[in-house]
Amino acid sequence: MYEADDKMISLIADNYSILQSLGRFGINLGFGDKTVREVCEEQNVDTYTFLAIVNFCINGHKDLDESDRLSIPTLIHYLKASHEYYLGFQLPFIRKELEEALDENDNLARLILKLYDEYAHEIRVHMKYEEKMVFPYVDALLRGEAKNDYDIDTFSKHHGQTDQKVRELKNIIIKYLPSDGLHNNQLSATLYDIYNNEEWLEQHSMVEDHIFIPAIRRLERQSKQNDVSVKISQMINQNNNEMLSDREKDVIISLVQGMTNKEIADHLCISINTVITHRRNIARKLQIHSPAGLTIYAIVNNLVDISSVKL
């Protein structure tokens, strides 16, 4: 487990694979002997989120007791940068390696390139879907503007692995593709990169499954709670805008005590029509129409004592 006060250079010395992650967080090299916290703060990266992903990728640690501290914008930045790296560099780089290692006049070689292109297309479609649907949805959630026709579980259900074609590609190269000395070395190096590429993609997918998706589920729950709070606040404000008059409160108290309209009119020295008008206004303002509801309102707002009410 690496912590914020560990030196960043120590993390890299122990696990050189972290070098790839640094770029996806937007962290530049040249940080000397500074700690993880110092480097992250200087380069505007959330320290807790950086360590959460690094510790998960290194040793599978995902017990995020303080998961609410995860920075969603930092997560989004990391995932977007990972897509840019993979689509813009990694996939084209491996294809170029394959082209150089294979005989372009060999039919089997052309089929291998075709198989690789199909694999690359699947990955590209998958990542472009995230960029078109998932990331904008999360941005809208953060702004409090998310629509109700989509949620992170919709993405999670379709977030499957796309590794069948790359597994087939590796097996064909290993089992069936003959090559001379030079091309054999090139193929071996390319195959090694394909294995590394597959491992990286699996790790990327696990970060989404175990860190990103749970974090967005929490954000969705918070958003729903905020919506409920807003609605309650609006109801309270609406009621405050139309406060009950003292006479309307007297009518409620009389109703709770079980009086009829005539008894209330006699008790308050008003006409029955006036009592009816007051009751109509009370129902409109409170959106409460039943005697039981008015009784609860009267008790909660201290208009009557619960001990004086016949339940």
Side-chain angles (χ1 to χ4, degrees):
M1 280 290 295
Y2 292 99
E3 299 179 353
D5 292 328
D6 292 328
K7 290 184 178 181
M8 184 70 83
I9 189 67
S10 298
L11 271 69
I12 297 173
D14 293 345
N15 306 275
Y16 65 86
S17 61
I18 292 176
L19 282 169
Q20 287 184 320
S21 296
L22 293 181
R24 291 166 208 155
F25 280 105
I27 295 176
N28 298 316
L29 301 178
F31 39 69
D33 289 321
K34 293 177 182 176
T35 65
V36 172
R37 178 184 290 108
E38 290 171 335
V39 173
C40 287
E41 289 179 351
E42 284 184 3
Q43 305 201 31
N44 298 315
V45 175
D46 181 73
T47 305
Y48 182 85
T49 306
F50 172 80
L51 284 171
I53 292 178
V54 165
N55 283 316
F56 175 76
C57 292
I58 291 173
N59 55 37
H61 178 79
K62 59 178 185 292
D63 184 17
L64 302 175
D65 294 332
E66 300 178 86
S67 52
D68 286 341
R69 291 176 56 192
L70 283 170
S71 167
I72 304 299
T74 299
L75 273 175
I76 292 290
H77 181 277
Y78 171 84
L79 295 175
K80 285 182 177 179
S82 296
H83 287 187
E84 291 174 5
Y85 167 81
Y86 197 80
L87 298 179
F89 173 76
Q90 191 71 358
L91 286 178
F93 176 77
I94 291 179
R95 194 187 196 286
K96 184 178 180 181
E97 281 188 307
L98 278 173
E99 288 175 350
E100 294 174 352
L102 298 172
D103 181 358
E104 62 182 12
N105 296 317
D106 184 86
N107 289 334
L108 183 57
R110 287 199 292 269
L111 287 174
I112 286 177
L113 285 173
K114 181 181 179 182
L115 184 61
Y116 179 81
D117 288 340
E118 290 174 354
Y119 159 73
H121 176 72
E122 283 188 4
I123 300 299
R124 188 175 301 277
V125 168
H126 176 80
M127 289 186 172
K128 289 299 182 182
Y129 168 81
E130 293 182 23
E131 293 170 6
K132 181 179 179 181
M133 295 294 297
V134 182
F135 297 157
Y137 166 72
V138 175
D139 289 339
L141 262 182
L142 291 171
R143 297 192 305 269
E145 301 172 359
K147 298 180 180 179
N148 295 325
D149 58 353
Y150 191 85
D151 57 33
I152 198 64
D153 282 334
T154 303
F155 164 64
S156 179
K157 291 173 184 175
H158 299 88
H159 190 228
Q161 295 291 335
T162 55
D163 56 3
Q164 182 177 350
K165 281 189 171 61
V166 74
R167 191 182 300 117
E168 185 178 337
L169 175 69
K170 292 184 303 182
N171 289 338
I172 289 175
I173 292 175
I174 294 171
K175 292 181 179 181
Y176 305 116
L177 192 65
S179 58
D180 55 37
L182 175 61
H183 284 86
N184 189 66
N185 289 336
Q186 289 178 321
L187 267 180
S188 296
T190 304
L191 194 59
Y192 184 81
D193 285 339
I194 291 174
Y195 270 100
N196 279 339
N197 179 73
E198 185 182 21
E199 182 179 334
W200 177 90
L201 190 62
E202 181 181 3
Q203 187 180 85
H204 174 79
S205 180
M206 290 178 66
V207 168
E208 291 185 325
D209 286 339
H210 296 286
I211 296 181
F212 176 67
I213 290 175
I216 304 310
R217 284 199 184 106
R218 287 190 296 272
L219 183 61
E220 287 175 335
R221 288 195 296 269
Q222 293 170 1
S223 178
K224 290 178 181 177
Q225 291 171 354
N226 290 339
D227 286 344
V228 171
S229 298
V230 169
K231 289 177 181 177
I232 291 174
S233 177
Q234 289 172 344
M235 290 173 63
I236 292 173
N237 290 334
Q238 183 178 8
N239 289 336
N240 286 339
N241 290 335
E242 293 190 274
M243 297 293 291
L244 294 177
S245 67
D246 291 338
R247 181 58 79 192
E248 288 166 344
K249 292 178 183 178
D250 291 337
V251 171
I252 290 176
I253 294 171
S254 300
L255 287 168
V256 171
Q257 292 173 346
M259 295 185 188
T260 64
N261 286 347
K262 185 177 186 311
E263 289 171 336
I264 295 173
D266 293 340
H267 175 66
L268 299 178
C269 300
I270 57 179
S271 69
I272 293 178
N273 286 338
T274 302
V275 173
I276 294 172
T277 299
H278 283 318
R279 292 191 62 173
R280 189 180 296 117
N281 291 336
I282 291 168
R284 177 179 57 79
K285 291 180 180 181
L286 301 182
Q287 293 299 302
I288 298 174
H289 303 273
S290 67
L294 287 174
T295 300
I296 293 171
Y297 175 85
I299 293 171
V300 171
N301 288 276
N302 299 315
L303 298 182
V304 297
D305 190 277
I306 192 171
S307 60
S308 65
V309 178
K310 293 181 181 180
L311 302 176

